[in-house]
Amino acid sequence: MKTLFLSLVGMFGRRILGIIKQLGEAALMFVETIWCMFTTPPRREIILAQMKEIGIKSLPVVLLTGIFTGMVLAVQSYYQLHKISMDTSIGILVGLSMTNELGPVLTGLMVAGRVGASMAAELGTMKVTEQIDALKSLASNPIKYLVVPRFLACVLLVPMLTVYSIFVGIVGGYLIGVKFMGINGTFFMKNMLDYTDNFDLANGIIKSFFFAIIVALTGCYKGFSATEGAEGVGKATTQAVVVACISILISDFFLSIILF
């Protein structure tokens, strides 16, 4: 019994130390990325290519997620608010929910699933095929050429994707609420604008900025940490998505406390 207990304590301790080691390595990568970004920024063509990959190719899935989320919000709100004759308050719920919470969080999760996995797989493949080691042997900094463009593209475009998601979510809620549920369109818009202001939109954009850092840093770090050939790349890709999604949800909780 004592041996089993000591074994469990040892396993738990090694796990904790492993997590602390990974957090430290990720923090060092973040600091080096910021340093390279301001001292030796990559060429504009490289950044634009990453912006196309991360921003434009993520736009369809973000728009679809946003509009259907707004539509579901309107339907669910209608069935609850109709019981107490407050149908016109649907605009308030849709506006506040999309700007403060669902727009930034769902956009962050969608980008983590599509872009974070892509980063980890691409960089992981370069790591196990020793292309990153080749860059180092040529006295080139892999952080500058591989991490900084992806980081910049994420930080610049995820907030923009969030704004699109919020906009189409509100449009979806309006269409369902006004066109299908028969709510007065003027009251829908007036109530939403009375209770949803620029401060709520700013909160959503600030959250999306932090989510972009999480997605870029997690994807790049897991890619750089990949080992054991194709199997290791698969594990790194899965871990990048899981860790990024969990980190987004945890950070959303703390950001909500700070911002409100």
Side-chain angles (χ1 to χ4, degrees), residues 49-92:
Q50 289 300 324
M51 290 176 76
K52 177 184 176 184
E53 183 66 29
I54 292 171
I56 296 176
K57 293 188 177 179
S58 298
L59 190 57
V61 68
V62 169
L63 293 180
L64 274 176
T65 305
I67 194 167
F68 277 100
T69 301
M71 292 162 70
V72 169
L73 265 178
V75 171
Q76 293 291 343
S77 302
Y78 176 81
Y79 287 125
Q80 299 302 321
L81 295 175
H82 184 68
K83 298 174 185 174
I84 53 176
S85 303
M86 292 184 65
D87 305 3
T88 52
S89 298
I90 290 176
I92 303 173

Side-chain angles (χ1 to χ4, degrees), residues 11-21:
M11 185 175 67
F12 183 72
R14 285 192 294 274
R15 186 68 178 168
I16 294 295
L17 288 175
I19 293 173
I20 293 173
K21 177 175 176 288

Side-chain angles (χ1 to χ4, degrees), residues 45-200:
E45 295 78 12
I46 301 176
I47 299 174
L48 289 176
Q50 289 300 324
M51 290 176 76
K52 177 184 176 184
E53 183 66 29
I54 292 171
I56 296 176
K57 293 188 177 179
S58 298
L59 190 57
V61 68
V62 169
L63 293 180
L64 274 176
T65 305
I67 194 167
F68 277 100
T69 301
M71 292 162 70
V72 169
L73 265 178
V75 171
Q76 293 291 343
S77 302
Y78 176 81
Y79 287 125
Q80 299 302 321
L81 295 175
H82 184 68
K83 298 174 185 174
I84 53 176
S85 303
M86 292 184 65
D87 305 3
T88 52
S89 298
I90 290 176
I92 303 173
L93 285 173
V94 172
L96 289 176
S97 300
M98 288 305 301
T99 51
N100 286 302
E101 194 63 35
L102 295 177
V105 171
L106 291 178
T107 301
L109 294 177
M110 290 299 107
V111 174
R114 205 194 78 78
V115 176
S118 172
M119 286 182 188
E122 189 177 1
L123 297 179
T125 303
M126 296 180 71
K127 175 72 187 315
V128 299
T129 55
E130 300 181 350
Q131 294 180 57
I132 293 178
D133 293 332
L135 276 175
K136 292 178 181 175
S137 67
L138 295 171
S140 299
N141 186 348
I143 297 292
K144 172 187 171 184
Y145 290 103
L146 300 176
V147 178
V148 173
R150 290 168 172 80
F151 183 86
L152 270 174
C154 259
V155 168
L156 292 173
L157 291 184
V158 170
M160 292 179 65
L161 290 173
T162 299
V163 172
Y164 284 126
S165 174
I166 292 171
F167 175 73
V168 298
I170 292 173
V171 170
Y174 179 88
L175 290 176
I176 292 297
V178 175
K179 303 298 180 184
F180 291 91
M181 300 300 182
I183 299 169
N184 186 293
T186 302
F187 283 121
F188 182 100
M189 292 303 298
K190 182 179 185 306
N191 287 335
M192 186 188 72
L193 294 174
D194 283 346
Y195 289 89
T196 308
D197 53 27
N198 294 334
F199 180 75
D200 298 302

Side-chain angles (χ1 to χ4, degrees), residues 3-18:
T3 305
L4 178 61
F5 176 73
L6 291 175
S7 175
L8 289 174
V9 170
M11 185 175 67
F12 183 72
R14 285 192 294 274
R15 186 68 178 168
I16 294 295
L17 288 175

